[in-house]
Amino acid sequence: MSDSKAGQVKTRRVFYIPGYDPIHPRRYRELYRKESAAQAAISGYEIALEPKAGKGNYGWRVNAGIDGHQVTSQVEVLVWSDIVRESMSNSIPATYWQLLRTAWVYIGSGALWRLMRLRKGPVIAALYPVGMLILQALLALAIGLLTYRLLGVISDHWAARLAFAAIGVGLGIALLRWFKKKDGKFFAYYLMHDYAYSAATRGANPPELEARMEMFGHDIAAALAEDVDEVLVVGHSSGAHLGVSVLADLIRAGRVPGQGPALGFLSLGQVVPMVSFLPRADRLRADLRYLSTRDELTWVDVTAPGDGCAFALCDPVSVSGVAPDGKRWPLVFSAAFTQTLSPALWKALRWRFFRLHFQYLCAFDRPRDYDYFQITAGPQTLAARYDGRPASKSRIDHAVSKYTSVAA
């Protein structure tokens, strides 16, 4: 018999929804393995990973001994990296066209100015690829012109001038290709594709993503029919707003059994406003509004002001302008990097923006009540762990979005 109603967990299913990430899901297994071992050593518990049994989604099994309790959790990654890779397979000219189109969507709709009223960090992160790609184009133009002028002293014959111009253009193109090849260091193309993905449809979900989300829903619904104590959905970064819609669909369809496992939703480092503030995000806004009142789940939203890529302490329902009467969720609080990381570790990570965006999935050397591994592998449900926990007083929970229409 399930202990979920008492908040105790012996068996758990965890579904992790990544953000806009083209990387194979084994990356998340290795991150979990390394960081869980580090956190266990710091916090004094035992945790070990082994291969996941059976077919289906990529995942792993976690066996943990925490506070005298033995817990088994199965973690699965709900993969959409193939969709991400397909959306990133653009040429250099196509990426610059994306830049213009994305800038027009956010500026022309007024969404950019509204987003700037929330947190500057993620807005700067959104503007970074625009500035970097423009800088790369200017450098390519400069090297082309400089080459043309330097070679121009050799001869002023029109044929020679034409050849020199071709050489200059070739060098400029070569530089742009070099920047794209080294984007693992610059992240300009990656971030541009990320923001362009939602902007292309002005906030609506593309058909291929809707189809994949439906598959996610089937997997979660199947787990909810099993004899486990908790089904926990974790949405990180862009995966948070996917999780909102998947869970809203499940509850609307009556696929969350009243006597089944406890259902938890943990959104981490969310960037919901980047989508929900767009004109055609009616579906997402409706799902935010709906999910915020439901008794079928517990929704906890964790961000941190130290994460410059997330809308830290911004209640995604309220800032999107769709908070209804009777709103319950999410519980919004901070992972407080400056307090939960030692000064030495904070100093080492402070300017590593992308690493900090993944800190929610990592070990803290001065942990407080947020511990990713106790949440995903420990003996308490998400609801029991944060029962009575107050929301952060510094959260932003008033309407900011210009667009508040919702899907019927």
Side-chain angles (χ1 to χ4, degrees):
M1 182 175 177
S2 173
D3 293 323
S4 63
K5 299 305 179 185
Q8 294 297 306
V9 177
K10 294 180 181 178
T11 55
R12 175 189 286 110
R13 294 286 302 277
V14 180
F15 293 93
Y16 175 75
I17 307 178
Y20 185 89
D21 191 342
I23 305 300
H24 190 278
R26 74 172 66 92
R27 166 187 176 180
Y28 297 104
R29 180 198 64 194
E30 290 308 302
L31 182 67
Y32 196 104
R33 179 190 59 77
K34 175 184 175 183
E35 296 296 330
S36 64
Q39 191 67 70
I42 292 166
S43 300
Y45 53 77
E46 297 177 354
I47 197 165
L49 274 64
E50 61 183 57
K52 167 182 166 282
K55 298 181 180 180
N57 296 311
Y58 183 91
W60 56 93
R61 180 183 170 120
V62 185
N63 298 310
I66 300 176
D67 296 333
H69 299 275
Q70 296 298 313
V71 184
T72 300
S73 301
Q74 180 169 293
V75 183
E76 298 181 20
V77 182
L78 297 181
V79 175
W80 60 295
S81 55
D82 56 323
I83 296 175
V84 173
R85 286 193 296 271
E86 179 65 25
S87 73
M88 294 177 69
S89 60
N90 288 328
S91 64
I92 292 174
T95 299
Y96 278 91
W97 170 244
Q98 277 190 333
L99 184 158
L100 295 174
R101 185 177 59 190
T102 302
W104 171 249
V105 168
Y106 278 100
I107 295 172
S109 68
L112 180 63
W113 319 122
R114 299 287 177 138
L115 291 168
M116 291 177 70
R117 297 183 190 178
L118 297 176
R119 300 290 183 187
K120 299 296 189 293
V123 175
I124 293 172
L127 293 175
Y128 164 78
V130 175
M132 179 57 76
L133 286 171
I134 290 174
L135 177 61
Q136 292 176 10
L138 290 176
L139 289 173
L141 178 62
I143 196 171
L145 289 175
L146 182 61
T147 301
Y148 176 75
R149 293 201 170 205
L150 289 175
L151 293 177
V153 301
I154 299 175
S155 171
D156 61 356
H157 190 274
W158 68 269
R161 292 281 186 177
L162 190 61
F164 301 154
I167 293 172
V169 170
L171 288 175
I173 292 173
L175 182 62
L176 288 176
R177 288 177 174 170
W178 181 85
F179 276 125
K180 185 177 182 182
K181 184 178 179 180
K182 297 295 183 180
D183 199 59
K185 294 183 177 180
F186 299 113
F187 296 104
Y189 283 83
Y190 167 73
L191 285 173
M192 190 70 259
H193 295 317
D194 188 352
Y195 298 121
Y197 187 68
S198 295
T201 54
R202 300 172 73 84
N205 290 329
E208 69 275 8
L209 185 58
E210 282 286 356
R212 189 61 53 86
M213 289 162 60
E214 184 177 358
M215 294 173 59
F216 293 170
H218 292 320
D219 292 337
I220 297 169
L224 286 165
E226 294 181 6
D227 184 21
V228 296
D229 299 313
E230 182 180 41
V231 173
L232 176 66
V233 178
V234 180
H236 176 242
S237 193
S238 299
H241 74 258
L242 301 189
V244 167
S245 292
V246 169
L247 290 171
D249 285 349
L250 282 178
I251 297 173
R252 284 195 195 98
R255 302 177 75 186
V256 179
Q259 300 303 314
L263 176 59
F265 177 39
L266 178 65
S267 50
L268 302 173
Q270 55 90 3
V271 291
V272 170
M274 288 300 298
V275 182
S276 67
F277 278 35
L278 291 173
R280 292 181 55 202
D282 301 52
R283 144 83 141 141
L284 176 57
R285 288 190 290 265
D287 295 338
L288 288 165
R289 181 183 180 89
Y290 179 78
L291 206 65
S292 71
T293 65
R294 305 308 302 182
D295 297 327
E296 292 90 343
L297 85 169
T298 296
W299 176 8
V300 174
D301 181 72
V302 181
T303 50
D307 175 11
C309 297
F311 283 91
L313 298 180
C314 294
D315 184 314
V317 179
S318 297
V319 300
S320 300
V322 292
D325 293 336
K327 175 181 176 293
R328 296 187 60 191
W329 310 115
L331 169 63
V332 176
F333 67 86
S334 175
F337 292 169
T338 57
Q339 300 172 45
T340 52
L341 300 173
S342 65
L345 185 53
W346 173 244
K347 182 179 180 181
L349 297 177
R350 186 174 184 180
W351 302 111
R352 295 176 60 189
F353 300 113
F354 294 100
R355 169 59 177 78
L356 279 175
H357 193 47
F358 283 86
Q359 178 58 39
Y360 311 98
L361 312 177
C362 298
F364 291 81
D365 58 353
R366 290 187 175 180
R368 295 166 66 178
D369 63 345
Y370 176 75
D371 179 330
Y372 182 64
F373 307 102
Q374 290 207 47
I375 292 171
T376 56
Q380 289 183 296
T381 63
L382 188 68
R385 182 172 181 81
Y386 293 112
D387 183 28
R389 208 272 192 209
S392 293
K393 293 181 180 179
S394 58
R395 70 190 184 284
I396 301 174
D397 61 356
H398 57 272
V400 180
S401 177
K402 174 182 178 181
Y403 301 96
T404 58
S405 58
V406 297

